[in-house]
Amino acid sequence: MGLELGTGQLEQFWHYYQEITAGNKRMNLTTIVDWDEVQLKHFLDSLTAVSILGTSLEPRSLIDVGSGAGMPGIPLKIAMPQLQITLLESTAKKAAFLISTISTLGLKEITVLGGRAEERAREPAYREQFDVVVS
């Protein structure tokens, strides 16, 4: 995909996996919890968006609608730290998980927005404000 991940990024993916499995005990984040499967079916799948985004170091804004456990937004942020990402999640428990995970991973320029997409899309602060939308 044209990405070269450093040791720090690989460690972030490992810690993210740990957060997912721990959070999955409290709420239903994913049925896929095996390390090898998570790498392939969650992390790698999330990174397929790189083919659309390109590997430019130029900052771009991205919103992940219905982020759930943070995919594809968090894997994209780990792999492409220059992205400015908003994770939109309507479930309060999942939004709290995302906030905690972002803090644990030490990610910057990534925010969590609670609410439903249909409602937030009507707000001028969020309407037509992103370069890329993923879901």
Side-chain angles (χ1 to χ4, degrees):
M1 292 184 201
L3 287 173
E4 286 190 37
L5 301 178
T7 303
Q9 290 167 301
L10 296 174
E11 288 175 2
Q12 281 182 310
F13 274 109
W14 172 248
H15 290 298
Y16 181 31
Y17 167 72
Q18 291 175 321
E19 289 295 309
I20 291 169
T21 56
N24 215 40
K25 293 176 182 172
R26 297 184 308 275
M27 71 194 94
N28 182 25
L29 294 171
T30 179
T31 57
I32 301 169
V33 293
D34 175 74
W35 171 237
D36 290 331
E37 286 189 59
V38 168
Q39 289 180 85
L40 180 64
K41 295 179 181 175
H42 285 320
F43 298 163
L44 190 59
D45 278 358
S46 294
L47 295 179
T48 59
V50 171
S51 64
I52 295 166
L53 294 169
T55 55
S56 166
L57 296 178
E58 178 183 318
R60 297 178 75 181
S61 62
L62 179 145
I63 187 166
D64 177 358
V65 179
S67 194
M71 291 166 273
I74 291 177
L76 286 169
K77 182 64 179 180
I78 292 170
M80 302 177 73
Q82 73 275 17
L83 292 175
Q84 299 167 348
I85 295 184
T86 300
L87 304 175
L88 177 60
E89 177 52 50
S90 64
T91 305
K93 280 178 144 181
K94 290 179 182 177
F97 165 80
L98 294 171
I99 292 167
S100 173
T101 299
I102 288 167
S103 175
T104 299
L105 297 176
L107 299 174
K108 306 292 183 218
E109 296 187 42
I110 180 169
T111 59
V112 176
L113 179 63
R116 297 183 52 78
E118 312 82 79
E119 296 163 2
R120 292 296 188 166
R122 292 188 181 109
E123 297 176 31
Y126 303 109
R127 187 170 189 80
E128 298 179 15
Q129 298 300 312
F130 301 93
D131 297 321
V132 179
V133 178
V134 295
S135 180

